[in-house]
Structure formats: C-alpha cells, structure tokens
Amino acid sequence: MRGAVRRPRSPRRAFLVTIGLGWAGYGGIGIIGNPRYGTSRGLAGLTQHVPLNVFGWMWVACGVLAVVAGLLAACPRWQAAGFVALATPAALWGAAFTGAAVTSYPQAAGSACGWAAFALGILWVSGMEDPLPSHLRKRYR
C-alpha cells in the first residue's frame, strides 16, 4: 500500500507533523490573527512589498504541506517537499530579521539568530535517516 496515510512512526515524519502544526498555528494565530509589534517592525523590509497577511497564509500553507508530507508513508519526495516547506519561511524570517538588525532595528538580532538556527536545524533533520525497523536491526547481547 504505497503512499498510504498512516500514523508517523519515523522521527522524520513525526518532526514534519509536529513542526508543520506549529507553523500553521504561528501563521494563523501569530501573524494573521495578532501580529506582534516586533514582528511587524522586523519584517518592514518585506512588508513594504507584500502584506503581512500574505506571509501569514504562507506559513499556514507551508505548515499544512509539511503535515500532509509527514502523514504520507513511503513517499520520500513528499517528505523532501515537507522539509522545504518548513525551512523556507524560517529562512525567510531569519534573512529579514538579519537585514533589519543590521540596518534599522538592532533589536531584531535575537530573532534573526533564532530563525536562522531553526532553518539550519530543519536542514540537518532533513538529511537524517530513519532507523531501520526493529526486525532488521542488529541485536547486541
């Protein structure tokens, strides 16, 4: 049953579902519903071109894509798309806050570090392999 939807049993798939739900919540509640002043100010370089609500919906869409990718079993291409969906908004936020910290809003430096680190962490997890099923693991006595 290739591509069937099952409960995530792999750490990579569980990561996609967990962080994907967080991304969707952050986009819907934290950006669309109630954007903070620091977020709005730190993203001023981006929001002069694209409204903040559009970025909020981007977070929601990327989160939903990651959740779907995490729930699909035996679909490595979907998993890859899910990790790209997780890393993209975090890297965009990291770059935007870095630009703001360097130019007009030095208080954005902490957020820049956090978002850039999160994007790198997602990249590292995407390169990890799932452990072998228990029946294929070597048993040590």
Side-chain angles (χ1 to χ4, degrees):
M1 188 176 212
R2 191 171 172 132
V5 175
R6 286 188 260 152
R7 182 175 65 91
R9 290 196 178 153
S10 78
R12 287 169 41 94
R13 290 177 48 222
F15 183 86
L16 284 169
V17 171
T18 303
I19 304 301
L21 290 172
W23 265 207
Y26 177 69
I29 298 167
I31 297 174
I32 297 169
N34 187 20
R36 295 183 349 255
Y37 172 73
T39 301
S40 300
R41 186 163 175 204
L43 299 172
L46 294 177
T47 57
Q48 65 185 346
H49 304 290
V50 179
L52 194 55
N53 276 352
V54 172
F55 287 117
W57 283 110
M58 175 197 68
W59 278 87
V60 171
C62 287
V64 169
L65 177 63
V67 169
V68 169
L71 292 176
L72 290 174
C75 290
R77 288 186 180 159
W78 272 96
Q79 284 186 18
F83 281 110
V84 169
L86 290 181
T88 299
L92 180 64
W93 253 225
F97 279 108
T98 299
V102 171
T103 58
S104 61
Y105 186 49
Q107 296 90 338
S111 293
C113 292
W115 286 115
F118 215 128
L120 287 173
I122 292 167
L123 178 69
W124 290 330
V125 170
S126 73
M128 293 179 181
E129 294 186 18
D130 283 326
L132 291 172
S134 60
H135 67 281
L136 295 176
R137 291 184 209 150
K138 193 173 196 176
R139 298 184 198 273
Y140 294 100
R141 292 179 195 220

